[in-house]
Amino acid sequence: MDVKLKYKAKKIKIVFFDIDDTLRVKDTGFIPDSIQTVFKQLKDKGILTGIASGRGMFGVVPELRALQPDFFVTLNGAYVEDSKGKVISQTVIPSDRVTSYIAWAQEEGIDYGLVGSHGAALSNRNSLISEAIDVVYPDLPVDPDFHLDKDIYQLWTFEDRGDGLQLPEALAEHLRLVRWHPHSSDVVPTEGSKAAGVSKVVEHLGLKPENVMVFGDGLNDLELFDYAGIGIAMGVSHEELRKRADYITKTVEEDGIFAALEELGMVEKELHFPQVELAAAEGPKATIKTNHGDMKVQLFPEQAPKTVANFIALAKDGYYDGVIFHRIIQDFMIQGGDPTGTGMGGQSIYGEKFEDEFSPELYNIRGALSMANAGPNTNGSQFFIVQNKNLPYSAKELSRGGWPEAIAEVYASQGGTPHLDRRHTVFGQLADEASYQVLDKIAAVETGAMDKPVEDVVIETIEVED
């Protein structure tokens, strides 16, 4: 993502989201948890939110309504209301035009749908229609006379003619087809689009198009991408939309919306600190068996995947068997993992030194398992375990220095080495009190030159539970 786009993002005051395959997966209804975070953080920053969909209000599922968007641009812009139900804009298709459309559809031998502001009906029910519409609007009634006592904002075709289907000239002057399914098109006013509906909201708020960001995936988002200051296409987007997008993000399942907004600096990842909530931590565990006792370690592959993979593979290969802790400094740390026992050796499974993995969720608190290195991105096989019990800083001082409050509290009450944060990759944490007792026992051994123990402290083996 380029710097220019990040600069443009600073002007955004409202973000509109398509529904299907943007906020949720159309075929399964899956909505990632990150969507709630997106809406909450945008609201906290004073950025408005809106739905911009081909769906009607009756098709906005409860889970999305619960997000409390500020505006709903529905039926491809034909019906717009705010969060309190106040109508901002509406474009009704004249009744004579609806009648002409129905006559044409019947003459062509195709089925159709009639869409009001808060409900819709079908002219017929068969497998082709059900395949197209039920995933969006399940159980719509069959009522070919729905239009006789309802305002119509949009129409549908149901057929298998694809892009070859064309409206007759008389209708094409006023209506156009927008393909959204292999067996169906939305039929909307020629001037109608999501962009037209969004523009009504923008005018209502006294904003400009440059203040608008949109997320979408389909052909009915084309005009909206041309209108908005920033258009972001989902990973499954139609090729034509991708061409017009300012940025292409990941899919719904991959938290595409959150990922794009995080890149733009508009949301921040909610941090969880597994070292603080160790009982709830999941993932592989290791037992470092030494001639002074065992130390059980919880590993964190989510935050440090490459480092954990390296440690586990070396352990399973017996690489650490018989290796000593070659450097021990009480009230600091114990260091091992070098087969040469000198602090100058050791190799990773990657055949070369590998990069640091600094996670904002992991810190060098007491009991942390961290990588030893000779500078940035020089990780191999050596590691250390933080032993320091005392820290001359209060939690308040650490918080002021930029450490998260939860971590600052742990540092202040339990100890650690905060000066090593973002210098050494943390990838595990001692898991029980017995392990800390072994850690302190090892830290207390007599040492000589270069902080090497007078009597070897040996790693007998490291056992891994995946």
Side-chain angles (χ1 to χ4, degrees), residues 4 46 76 112 144 163 173 180 198 255 265 279 319 377 409 425 449:
K4 186 176 180 180
N76 290 306
Y112 57 89
D163 293 334
E173 290 182 13
W180 67 275
V198 167
D255 296 305
Y319 188 87
N377 304 313
E409 290 287 349
T425 298

Side-chain angles (χ1 to χ4, degrees), residues 89-142:
S89 172
Q90 54 183 325
T91 304
V92 176
I93 300 175
S95 58
D96 60 335
R97 206 162 290 157
V98 174
T99 302
S100 296
Y101 170 78
I102 292 173
W104 168 77
Q106 292 173 340
E107 184 178 322
E108 288 287 319
I110 64 176
D111 293 304
Y112 57 89
L114 303 158
V115 190
S117 62
H118 290 76
L122 307 173
S123 65
N124 189 21
R125 171 68 74 174
N126 57 39
S127 59
L128 182 146
I129 294 173
S130 296
E131 180 189 342
I133 205 68
D134 284 0
V135 70
V136 182
Y137 303 108
D139 304 318
L140 286 180
V142 174

Side-chain angles (χ1 to χ4, degrees), residues 166-176 190:
Q166 298 292 326
L167 291 171
E169 186 175 339
L171 283 174
E173 290 182 13
H174 308 286
L175 302 173
R176 63 189 178 95
T190 52

Side-chain angles (χ1 to χ4, degrees), residues 351-392:
E352 56 186 16
K353 303 298 183 182
F354 66 97
E355 66 272 16
D356 298 313
E357 293 181 303
F358 298 139
S359 169
E361 298 184 330
L362 298 176
Y363 295 83
N364 284 282
I365 61 175
R366 172 171 157 80
L369 175 64
S370 197
M371 289 299 288
N373 61 44
N377 304 313
T378 59
N379 298 293
S381 66
Q382 294 188 46
F383 59 84
F384 63 89
I385 302 173
V386 177
Q387 189 268 334
N388 181 37
K389 294 181 180 180
N390 304 298
L391 201 65

Side-chain angles (χ1 to χ4, degrees), residues 241-414:
L241 192 71
R242 295 168 73 94
K243 292 176 183 177
R244 303 195 195 186
D246 294 293
Y247 183 73
I248 300 171
T249 188
K250 302 175 183 178
T251 64
V252 176
E253 297 92 334
E254 297 171 314
D255 296 305
I257 289 175
F258 186 94
L261 292 174
E262 185 180 30
E263 281 280 322
L264 290 166
M266 296 175 66
V267 299
E268 295 84 35
K269 182 180 179 182
E270 287 191 323
L271 298 180
H272 302 279
F273 306 109
Q275 293 165 285
V276 177
E277 303 169 355
L278 206 60
E282 298 180 352
K285 298 174 174 60
T287 301
I288 303 173
K289 293 180 172 291
T290 79
N291 60 342
H292 286 253
D294 297 349
M295 291 180 285
K296 296 183 182 297
V297 180
Q298 175 68 56
L299 301 174
F300 305 121
E302 181 178 342
Q303 290 83 5
K306 196 166 184 178
T307 307
V308 170
N310 178 66
F311 181 79
I312 288 176
L314 292 176
K316 287 184 174 181
D317 285 346
Y319 188 87
Y320 293 123
D321 295 358
V323 172
I324 65 171
F325 281 96
H326 61 270
R327 184 175 178 232
I328 294 176
I329 304 176
Q330 190 167 19
D331 295 325
F332 183 26
M333 57 89 221
I334 65 173
Q335 182 174 336
D338 173 11
T340 71
T342 64
M344 303 295 289
Q347 275 193 321
S348 75
I349 61 171
Y350 308 110
E352 56 186 16
K353 303 298 183 182
F354 66 97
E355 66 272 16
D356 298 313
E357 293 181 303
F358 298 139
S359 169
E361 298 184 330
L362 298 176
Y363 295 83
N364 284 282
I365 61 175
R366 172 171 157 80
L369 175 64
S370 197
M371 289 299 288
N373 61 44
N377 304 313
T378 59
N379 298 293
S381 66
Q382 294 188 46
F383 59 84
F384 63 89
I385 302 173
V386 177
Q387 189 268 334
N388 181 37
K389 294 181 180 180
N390 304 298
L391 201 65
Y393 304 109
S394 68
K396 184 177 291 186
E397 287 174 313
L398 288 165
S399 293
R400 286 174 180 168
W403 278 268
E405 289 186 12
I407 295 300
E409 290 287 349
V410 174
Y411 268 133
S413 62
Q414 299 178 26

